[in-house]
Amino acid sequence: MANKARPPAVSSSKPPPGDGDGNHIHNQILLNLPPKESAMLIPKLEFVRLKTHHVLHEPGDTLKSAYFCNTGLVSILSVFPDGKSVEVGLIGKEGFVGVPLVAGFRTSPTRAVAQIEATAFRVDGETLMVILRQAPILERRLQQFSQIMAMQVTQIAACNRLHEVNERLARWLLMSADRTGSDSVPLTQELLAQMLGTRRSSVTVAAGMLQKAGLISHSRGDVEITDRPNLEEAACECYGIMNRQVKEWQDDSK
Ligand SMILES: [Zn+2]
């Protein structure tokens, strides 16, 4: 389906601000806080590097920490007792892991895992809840992000049930590229199959179709988008629906 609704990016010619310890801040929620709230929150943040497959929390875990994603990708997975899982959400530098805390809830029903190597600013969950009482803009931004995640989870659940693997693969690659700011996604087909909740052989066929059409090139452990406009055409309408909704909400809140 045609859509040209790539999410708006925060761009600046200035170098990104740091956390005082020499770590650049790319997270869009942190970058857009008023100085007073930033001064409250930034000293409580700890810069962390998350290796690929690092689990931030499992279903049912108490959320001891929340994470402002800074670089890389974090997947939100729905996990079943037999070990099967499927991705229902994808978070990059626009977002935050730990949305139940914003509503005062201390556990999460999902798994959050670093999908590719990532960095984040971690904050203690209890500390965040105290700060939120004194930081209305941060609270509002996190509420808005929670709503965006709920919308994304709903759309991806429908997508996983209704759309073909090659359309979903195209949608996933576009979402990943938007969140990492790179058209190259270091990911194996094994992991892609887990993300899309399908067999590896189906991902191989789907990736082969997209490669044959000249939209991506894939080699062991790496997928590169080579023709974004036509990859958007090849993706299911979910990609455009989600981006248009986010844009509409962002315009609403200006
Ligand atoms: Zn879809």
Side-chain angles (χ1 to χ4, degrees):
M1 294 291 290
N3 61 67
K4 297 288 174 278
R6 195 172 187 172
V10 172
S11 65
S12 167
S13 54
K14 289 185 298 185
D19 65 349
D21 289 328
N23 301 304
H24 285 167
I25 298 175
H26 302 285
N27 179 274
Q28 292 177 4
I29 297 170
L30 295 178
L31 286 176
N32 290 298
L33 285 180
K36 188 176 159 220
E37 297 192 9
S38 213
M40 253 189 276
L41 179 62
I42 301 286
K44 304 291 184 193
L45 300 177
E46 181 191 0
F47 182 77
V48 289
R49 292 181 192 280
L50 308 169
K51 289 211 165 83
T52 305
H53 305 158
H54 178 89
V55 174
L56 283 72
H57 62 74
E58 289 285 2
D61 279 358
T62 299
L63 297 171
K64 293 192 190 76
S65 307
Y67 299 80
F68 292 88
C69 301
N70 203 47
T71 58
L73 271 184
V74 172
S75 274
I76 304 300
L77 303 175
S78 191
V79 185
F80 294 91
D82 64 359
K84 282 188 183 153
S85 62
V86 63
E87 183 180 76
V88 290
L90 196 53
I91 304 174
K93 63 185 185 301
E94 81 295 348
F96 167 84
V97 177
V99 289
L101 292 167
V102 183
F105 301 144
R106 287 179 167 77
T107 58
S108 170
T110 50
R111 174 188 293 159
V113 59
Q115 202 47 257
I116 59 178
E117 201 165 280
T119 64
F121 290 96
R122 179 165 64 191
V123 60
D124 174 77
E126 295 293 332
T127 304
L128 177 70
M129 286 163 108
V130 172
I131 290 175
L132 284 179
R133 288 186 215 122
Q134 308 155 53
I137 304 291
L138 173 64
E139 185 178 40
R140 172 52 71 95
R141 295 282 178 268
L142 294 182
Q143 285 168 346
Q144 288 171 341
F145 184 70
S146 302
Q147 196 58 41
I148 288 170
M149 279 309 288
M151 180 273 293
Q152 197 190 102
V153 166
T154 307
Q155 190 70 37
I156 293 178
C159 183
N160 284 338
R161 173 69 183 83
L162 295 175
H163 292 148
E164 299 296 332
V165 178
N166 54 323
E167 296 176 310
R168 287 194 280 137
L169 175 59
R171 186 262 295 157
W172 192 92
L173 292 170
L174 292 164
M175 289 179 73
S176 301
D178 294 341
R179 281 155 185 76
T180 59
S182 165
D183 280 343
S184 177
V185 186
L187 204 65
T188 61
Q189 292 192 8
E190 188 77 51
L191 270 170
L192 270 172
Q194 280 178 27
M195 290 311 92
L196 299 173
T198 187
R199 291 188 304 278
R200 187 186 159 156
S201 57
S202 308
V203 170
T204 305
V205 172
M209 281 172 65
L210 296 179
Q211 174 149 281
K212 205 170 164 199
L215 311 184
I216 64 168
S217 69
H218 72 102
S219 55
R220 270 181 91 85
D222 199 45
V223 182
E224 173 117 27
I225 297 174
T226 49
D227 182 349
R228 177 177 254 275
N230 282 315
L231 190 64
E232 290 185 10
E233 296 286 337
C236 54
E237 58 263 51
C238 298
Y239 178 67
I241 288 171
M242 289 187 279
N243 286 349
R244 280 192 295 277
Q245 186 61 67
V246 170
K247 171 90 172 53
E248 197 179 312
W249 280 339
Q250 285 176 340
D251 291 346
D252 274 356
S253 66
K254 273 176 189 159

